[in-house]
Amino acid sequence: MFPASVPIRLLAAFGLVASVAACSSAPTTATPDTFSVWDPYPQFTAESEWAKTIDKCGTEAGVKIQRQAYDTTDLTGKVLLAAQQGTAPHVLVLDNPVVSTLAEAGVLKTNQEVGLDASQVSPNLAAAGTMNGQTYGTPIGANTLALYYNKAVLTGAGVDPASIKDWDSLNAALAKVKASGKKGITFSAIGTEEGTFQFLPWFWGASGALTDLPSGKAALELWKSWLDNGYAPNSVVGNTQTTSWQEFATGEYAFTENGTWQLGNAKKAGFEYGVIPIPGRTGGTAPAPTGGEFVTVPAQNNKDTEAKAGRIASCLTAPDKVLASDTALTYISAVPSVQQQQVAAQPELAVWVEAVKSAKGRTGDNLGTKYPKISQPLWGAVQAALTGAKTPEAALRDAQASAK
């Protein structure tokens, strides 16, 4: 049976406590031979590779696909409302941190229940959809973070990017860049999820645990030292990932922390660039958070319908079809064999494949819906420390108290 109601606290969290029956934006129920697919890709039209793949998977399942595309910020609320009304889509593509929220609400079926095959997906990427030993959905692909660098700026400062293996060598490089008259590094430390997303590689790279925020003190001290030493601009406290990229695109900065989604812009920047993994405190590649969406199957009132939806979802993430979608989305595939195809076609993606192999889901470690309660105090701590309102130690101690 479909859940009688989505928990009211989840509706409230998205500002949806008003009567769902009065909501005019909810879709009409699809006809029996029509299956609905909702995704957060309004930028992709019916002529896109993504839309064509959806149609192919519908044809293979013997159904017609009715696709609805929404902005990421709108999608979760619309799904919760539709679930209340019993009109949830048959297949749902959504941002990976939201999977645990909808699973806890009873909106999603487990992979085992619907026969969704995620066996070829890298386990570290599938983990973002795992709660209490059950997996919900499978990632269509992933993006993550690394360090872009300006080759001319580093050459002028006498820095070999290959020498950057840990925080000490990165700090040494930043010191040389500053001495050469150029700017060091820019990133996003804004007081939103973007700020937490960008901080996590350094937090995890210092062996920090999200259940113990003070354990990442060294990472916050690192960021604060960059501002104090003039290696990073004060603008980082208000930077989004877009505005920090715009700073890097001026050609004045040696480094920026950003993601695969900037590859197109990097090629248009007008200067030679390279990419290196974000280093851990004492070496190695720091775990960076995974971005990207999961293909999931919402609960319906018919087991056969759910099983057919599972076949469509499996098709959308199958190795023989997902390459075209990942290419269109500028994602690294979640399937190792497809990653190899991507690198063969574009050798510059090799560093991103390595970054994805080390990446972690933000809701992993069985945090699930606890993650937002941790993330918000964490980005608040970053803001407080970087603006000098608190010491890094005090900021993280207070954030831990707030998270509890």
Side-chain angles (χ1 to χ4, degrees):
M1 282 296 290
F2 193 83
S5 64
V6 173
I8 194 71
R9 62 183 176 77
L10 290 175
L11 293 173
F14 290 91
L16 302 170
V17 238
S19 170
V20 294
C23 177
S24 60
S25 63
T28 55
T29 305
T31 56
D33 60 344
T34 301
F35 274 57
S36 55
V37 175
W38 289 11
D39 67 52
Y41 310 133
Q43 70 272 32
F44 293 120
T45 65
E47 290 73 38
S48 67
E49 286 299 323
W50 167 244
K52 290 176 181 177
T53 299
I54 292 176
D55 288 338
K56 288 176 185 176
C57 289
T59 300
E60 289 186 15
V63 300
K64 180 181 178 182
I65 296 294
Q66 182 184 72
R67 178 188 173 226
Q68 297 262 17
Y70 299 101
D71 288 333
T72 298
T73 51
D74 295 334
L75 184 57
T76 304
K78 290 185 181 297
V79 171
L80 288 168
L81 287 172
Q84 275 276 341
Q85 296 177 312
T87 57
H90 297 93
V91 177
L92 173 64
V93 186
L94 76 165
D95 198 16
N96 73 76
V98 185
V99 174
S100 57
T101 298
L102 296 188
E104 186 181 84
V107 174
L108 303 180
K109 304 297 289 186
T110 68
N111 291 358
Q112 185 176 6
E113 289 174 307
V114 298
L116 175 51
D117 181 14
S119 61
Q120 297 190 64
V121 170
S122 297
N124 67 314
L125 300 180
T130 300
M131 280 183 63
N132 301 318
Q134 296 287 343
T135 301
Y136 299 81
T138 185
I140 193 167
N143 54 38
T144 193
L145 297 165
L147 293 179
Y148 288 85
Y149 64 85
N150 183 318
K151 290 186 178 181
V153 171
L154 291 189
T155 298
V159 173
D160 178 359
S163 69
I164 298 170
K165 302 291 187 182
D166 52 23
W167 290 4
D168 285 344
S169 53
L170 176 57
N171 281 332
L174 292 172
K176 289 182 179 179
V177 169
K178 183 183 177 184
S180 74
K182 291 292 188 178
K183 298 176 181 178
I185 186 168
T186 182
F187 50 92
S188 170
I190 194 171
T192 68
E193 179 59 27
E194 278 190 83
T196 296
F197 188 78
Q198 290 240 317
F199 183 60
L200 282 175
W202 311 96
F203 181 88
W204 283 331
S207 301
L210 287 174
T211 51
D212 178 19
L213 295 181
S215 66
K217 182 181 72 164
L220 194 46
E221 290 175 337
L222 177 73
W223 271 22
K224 183 65 167 65
S225 74
W226 289 349
L227 271 67
D228 292 344
N229 292 324
Y231 299 162
N234 291 328
S235 59
V236 297
V237 297
N239 271 350
T240 64
Q241 294 179 108
T242 297
T243 56
S244 65
W245 179 264
Q246 291 167 347
E247 289 179 336
F248 179 67
T250 64
E252 292 296 309
Y253 285 86
F255 300 97
T256 186
E257 179 184 356
N258 230 296
T260 49
W261 54 89
Q262 298 292 6
L263 281 169
N265 289 328
K267 293 174 182 176
K268 302 173 186 175
F271 54 80
E272 283 192 273
Y273 74 94
V275 183
I276 58 173
I278 296 172
R281 183 182 185 183
T282 58
T285 299
T290 55
E293 289 76 35
F294 268 54
V295 181
T296 64
V297 176
Q300 307 293 330
N301 60 4
N302 183 287
K303 297 296 182 186
D304 290 340
T305 299
E306 291 173 348
K308 187 169 287 189
R311 291 197 292 275
I312 296 170
S314 292
C315 175
L316 289 175
T317 53
D320 63 334
K321 293 188 176 63
V322 79
L323 177 59
S325 298
D326 285 333
T327 300
L329 293 164
T330 61
Y331 281 168
I332 299 301
S333 179
V335 180
S337 62
V338 180
Q339 292 173 358
Q340 294 170 10
Q341 295 177 55
Q342 290 180 300
V343 173
Q346 300 181 70
E348 67 270 23
L349 293 181
V351 67
W352 292 106
V353 168
E354 289 306 310
V356 163
K357 286 179 180 178
S358 299
K360 290 179 61 173
R362 284 164 279 173
T363 57
D365 298 328
N366 212 36
L367 286 177
T369 54
K370 297 175 185 175
Y371 173 74
K373 300 171 186 177
I374 296 169
S375 175
Q376 186 167 353
L378 182 55
W379 79 57
V382 171
Q383 290 263 301
L386 297 189
T387 58
K390 297 178 182 178
T391 65
E393 182 177 10
L396 290 171
R397 185 180 62 242
D398 291 348
Q400 180 68 24
S402 178
K404 285 183 177 179

